[in-house]
Amino acid sequence: KQMEFISLAAHELRGPITVMRGLVDILQDEAGPKLSSEHNELITRIIVSARQLAGYVDNILGASRVDRDTFEVHLAEASWSNVVAQSVRDLSVRAQAHHRTLECKIAKDLPSVAVDSSAIMHVINNLVDNAIKYSPENGKVIVNAVLKDDFVETTIQDFGIGIPANVVDNLFTKFYRSHRSKQIVSGTGLGLYLCKAIVEAHGGSIWVRSTEGSGTTFGFTLPTYASVADQIKAGASEEGIIRGNHGWIKNHALYRR
């Protein structure tokens, strides 16, 4: 019931946030060239904060759909290089505003993947956003993607404070935030929970490696389109692919348990 109330409140926030982001974008386009660098920096900070708030709302609504078993992914062929590049371009503004460097290393000739592009963007955004938040001043975040058998593996690496070993197993739990993280950055505790649900709904897996004081690497895998194309085409007449309580998509046997 608490989650339902939070979801309702978040849904009501989505409209005003969308309007605010649109107006700030117009302001930047039309007034930006006439403003000083200091004023343009203020506009950039508003844009970054609005995107962050929109991200919180998306996480709440996404987690609510997962809990109600109404979370859907519609898999289609997509260029993973293009998806990652678009996300990195959008997130670069946030990285720059926080005095971080965002670096993208994508292997050449990566095969296409089977994804719901809209859903998977939440995964990239959440993981990169976390890396930015937990990185030191003037730190670097590296996004890397390589082919591993029938999967494309993407990693997001930071060189920040790291994660204590005793909390790693809880990171993908809904609402979980360690005492240390609460003191350092704000958040809802839903981002990683939603990331896990989305990645597993795609038939992939998500993991984390971290050393305190040295940084953290989150990684996730997605199936190549060629490896599941026949099954996707066979199920094209379905209304949608829905994640069930067992953590996998209903009405299919494409992926390993």
Side-chain angles (χ1 to χ4, degrees):
K1 290 182 179 179
Q2 290 176 334
M3 193 62 194
E4 288 177 2
F5 174 77
I6 294 171
S7 176
L8 177 62
H11 190 272
E12 293 300 315
L13 285 171
R14 174 174 273 183
I17 293 171
T18 301
V19 172
M20 181 171 63
R21 292 179 65 183
L23 293 175
V24 174
D25 286 341
I26 293 172
L27 179 64
Q28 185 182 48
D29 291 341
E30 296 188 358
K34 305 174 185 177
L35 298 177
S36 66
S37 59
E38 290 81 5
H39 288 145
N40 273 304
E41 183 178 350
L42 290 176
I43 291 177
T44 298
R45 289 171 63 181
I46 293 172
I47 292 172
V48 168
S49 295
R51 285 180 180 174
Q52 185 176 9
L53 184 56
Y56 289 155
V57 169
D58 287 341
N59 284 344
I60 292 169
L61 295 176
S64 177
R65 287 194 293 270
V66 168
D67 286 351
R68 298 196 309 267
D69 274 341
T70 58
F71 178 77
E72 298 182 3
V73 294
H74 301 272
L75 303 184
E77 184 174 13
S79 165
W80 189 236
S81 299
N82 291 344
V83 172
V84 173
Q86 179 182 340
S87 294
V88 169
R89 281 195 300 271
D90 293 341
L91 290 162
S92 291
V93 176
R94 175 159 170 73
Q96 292 169 9
H98 288 268
H99 308 291
R100 271 69 162 174
T101 302
L102 186 55
E103 187 175 320
C104 189
K105 298 180 178 180
I106 305 297
K108 294 181 178 180
D109 303 322
L110 275 181
S112 57
V113 291
V115 295
D116 182 318
S117 295
S118 177
I120 208 65
M121 292 277 269
H122 289 301
V123 176
I124 301 174
N125 291 346
N126 273 308
L127 295 181
V128 173
D129 186 63
N130 279 348
I132 291 171
K133 288 191 292 188
Y134 289 101
S135 291
E137 185 79 7
N138 299 315
K140 179 187 292 187
V141 174
I142 300 175
V143 181
N144 186 39
V146 296
L147 178 64
K148 288 193 173 181
D149 299 322
D150 288 334
F151 292 85
V152 172
E153 181 181 77
T154 304
T155 57
I156 293 87
Q157 181 182 13
D158 69 63
F159 302 90
I161 61 175
I163 303 170
N166 64 328
V167 306
V168 168
D169 291 340
N170 298 317
L171 288 177
F172 298 101
T173 304
K174 184 171 60 174
F175 294 128
Y176 180 80
R177 300 194 70 224
S178 69
H179 178 71
R180 184 180 179 185
S181 66
K182 289 178 182 178
Q183 293 178 324
I184 297 173
V185 299
S186 60
T188 61
L190 292 173
L192 293 178
Y193 172 75
L194 183 58
C195 285
K196 185 175 187 293
I198 292 173
V199 169
E200 290 185 349
H202 280 76
S205 60
I206 189 168
W207 50 266
V208 57
R209 290 195 301 263
S210 186
T211 303
E212 280 195 89
S214 300
T216 301
T217 300
F218 280 91
F220 64 94
T221 59
L222 296 170
T224 62
Y225 183 75
S227 68
V228 294
D230 291 342
Q231 293 92 329
I232 290 175
K233 291 174 182 177
S237 60
E238 297 292 333
E239 293 181 0
I241 307 176
I242 306 174
R243 179 185 180 278
N245 286 327
H246 46 66
W248 295 92
I249 303 167
K250 293 179 181 177
N251 301 323
H252 81 89
L254 307 184
Y255 310 120
R256 304 180 183 90
R257 289 188 178 273

